[in-house]
Amino acid sequence: MKMDDPYKALGLTKSASQDDIKKAYRKIAKTDHPDLNPDPAAAERFKAASSAYDLLKDPDQRARFDRGEIDATGQERAQQKFYRDFAERGDNPYRQYSSAGYGDFSDVFDDLFGDDGRRGGFGGFRRSGAGGQGFDMRGQDARYDLEVDFLTAAKGGSTRITLPTGGAVEVQIPEGASDGQTIRLRGKGGPGHGQGAPGDAYLTLHVGSHPDWTRDGNDVTITLPITIDEAVLGGKVEVPTLDGAVSMNLPRGATTGQKLRLKGKGIKGGNQYVQLKIVMPPNVDQDLVEFMEKWRQENPYDPRGGMGV
Amino acid sequence: MIRAAGWGCEMARYTAEELIATIDELTGPRLTHYVEMRVLQPVISAEGARFREIDRARARLLCDLSEDYGLDGDALSLVMQLLDEAHGLRGEMQALMAALAEEPDEARQRVIARIRLARAQD
């Protein structure tokens, strides 16, 4: 929205005090907040008021604007994303945590939209506080997202994390852990009421990416840089695998993109593929230039043949 | 701020300090409070808590609700749960309407008739 007069956006005039400005902004934020008021006009008013407030809240900046040194639009911050912009999406993680409200027609919704967002009946925040005296109730289960680096997920291992509620725990990541897999930590959820046992914590794994490795199920692929002489002559090269480096035979005339297989070197007996990438030497010296010029005379070839160039 | 893959696209990640720096009303104790209340749930990693863009937007909303409405505790949890429900339903409703709009006229008319009937019986 184009904003010519930030004072007008806040319903004020130039004589307003800093306090007036803050109050006016808070008032608009209260009535027109896009997360609370679905009316598009309200969202526009809120946006205008936000940018106006951003400009005017700092007295120095306000003075510069009043003197005409900066214009109102020049100071608008990058478009703010509201919670609603994320929350309306199907993958909003906060709906997993809260199992928010599909009570009576959840089956239909699961049919239509998949149950990704609403797995299980875990209550994150339970609406009815069943906290009467003398009640023994099991504590609530808690859901968290856990980020795991690529190699830990592939090889398995343990990672030490701190739960948002405090306690540090050692989590065992199973070998070949996959994205979206859930790990249960017994008794690490909310405390029980009365004699009730504590709830469990469920960690949903999110496997990170790796610059050199990719993975497809239990097969892994590594991109292996090789020199031009290795590519031409072939021979043995050292290749990292999930459990240490191994020696691999490079065929003569290997080329970028070519995939070689290391059988059984993937996860749990899967394969590891080695995708080759020819890398030029850091500097091309005169010897190489002369050799190539001579070589080119007698051995022309056209890798772009058939591309219509 | 680092960028990590996940949730289908490259996304920003903020540490607690970085998050506090981007939101005027957010302070360290307030952030800790929201996380302990579990109205804000960062991603856990071996390097500590990491906040996504959605967490940043949510933190800003939480600050607005705390500042403007004086909400805290169970009331704040309840409002957030209702908002998640409303936003979620709105998103799903939009998807449903978009899907209906793609359907041929007669299919749409049939659905409209059924909806009217169902609402009339309420």
Side-chain angles (χ1 to χ4, degrees), chain A residues 179-215:
Chain A
D179 211 58
Q181 188 174 336
T182 304
I183 293 179
R184 181 163 85 157
L185 300 177
R186 196 183 287 273
K188 296 292 180 190
H193 300 281
Q195 303 292 311
D200 300 332
Y202 290 84
L203 304 173
T204 303
L205 300 187
H206 296 276
V207 179
S209 57
H210 193 286
D212 303 325
W213 292 90
T214 57
R215 185 174 147 192

Side-chain angles (χ1 to χ4, degrees), chain A residues 91 145-150 179-180 204-211 213-214, chain B residues 1-13 43-45 50-53:
Chain A
D91 61 355
D145 287 309
L146 175 63
E147 220 156 60
V148 187
D149 68 75
F150 183 92
D179 211 58
T204 303
L205 300 187
H206 296 276
V207 179
S209 57
H210 193 286
W213 292 90
T214 57
Chain B
M1 189 172 72
I2 57 158
R3 294 193 172 269
W7 288 274
C9 58
E10 292 277 302
M11 284 179 107
R13 290 280 191 279
V43 174
I44 304 171
S45 76
R50 290 289 180 274
F51 297 85
R52 300 154 287 189
E53 284 296 346

Side-chain angles (χ1 to χ4, degrees), chain A residues 26 30 33 35 57 80 83 88 92 94-95 102 113 125 127 143 145-147 164 206, chain B residues 7 13 24-25 35 38 41 44 52 54-55 58 60 64 68-69 83-85 87 90 92:
Chain A
R26 283 282 157 218
K30 197 169 168 174
H33 200 296
D35 270 303
K57 71 182 173 193
Q80 182 182 337
Y83 178 60
E88 285 181 1
N92 177 6
Y94 283 95
R95 282 166 80 204
Y102 294 92
F113 301 106
F125 322 104
R127 204 177 296 174
R143 282 196 159 271
D145 287 309
L146 175 63
E147 220 156 60
H206 296 276
Chain B
W7 288 274
R13 290 280 191 279
D24 284 352
E25 289 85 10
V35 171
R38 301 190 39 227
Q41 298 217 31
I44 304 171
R52 300 154 287 189
I54 186 175
D55 300 316
R58 192 171 165 100
R60 194 180 281 132
D64 287 344
D68 299 338
Y69 291 83
L83 276 178
D84 280 331
E85 184 173 339
H87 288 331
R90 196 182 286 126
E92 256 124 42

